Amino acid sequence: MKNKFTRESLANTDDAHSGKLVDIQQQLDELQQNGMTAMDIRTVLFNKMLDVYQVPRDHFLRDSETPERIDDPTIVTRLKQLGFSKKSRQQLH
């Protein structure tokens, strides 16, 4: 059991130091140093999620207040109830 915990912790640590995540963290740090607040970043991420679910630019969800927790599963449920779905992740060759 002790070894299992250690392996899982190392995997999480490795993920946190992977190249893409380090790059994203550096970009977020730069945005904050240039005056963007955490709440601004949350709003941008929420709108990116709406992009993923193909919500039109003029839809009322984009004008509504950004939810406190953008990882709340009820948001996805509501999007699906409204008829939105994720974009397919097909790669172009």
Side-chain angles (χ1 to χ4, degrees):
M1 188 70 161
K2 188 176 183 179
N3 290 337
K4 181 180 177 185
F5 178 75
T6 303
R7 275 186 264 137
E8 288 176 5
S9 296
L10 288 175
N12 290 337
T13 303
D14 289 345
D15 288 346
H17 296 292
S18 72
K20 285 184 180 182
L21 292 178
V22 168
D23 291 343
I24 291 170
Q25 184 61 54
Q26 289 173 346
Q27 291 173 16
L28 289 171
D29 290 344
E30 185 177 328
L31 287 171
Q32 285 185 306
Q33 289 168 1
N34 289 324
M36 190 172 210
T37 68
M39 291 179 69
D40 294 334
I41 293 170
R42 184 180 69 187
T43 300
V44 169
L45 291 173
F46 178 68
N47 278 285
K48 288 314 256 178
M49 182 173 72
L50 295 179
D51 290 346
V52 168
Y53 278 88
Q54 306 177 72
V55 176
R57 294 266 179 228
D58 61 349
H59 196 273
F60 74 90
L61 285 175
R62 293 193 185 266
D63 293 331
S64 63
E65 188 174 322
T66 302
E68 193 72 26
R69 290 191 52 203
I70 60 174
D71 63 338
D72 184 348
T74 60
I75 297 170
V76 173
T77 302
R78 183 163 186 225
L79 288 169
K80 289 180 179 178
Q81 288 172 341
L82 291 170
F84 297 109
S85 61
K86 282 186 175 182
K87 292 179 184 178
S88 62
R89 299 187 103 193
Q90 297 175 353
Q91 291 185 355
L92 300 175
H93 295 276

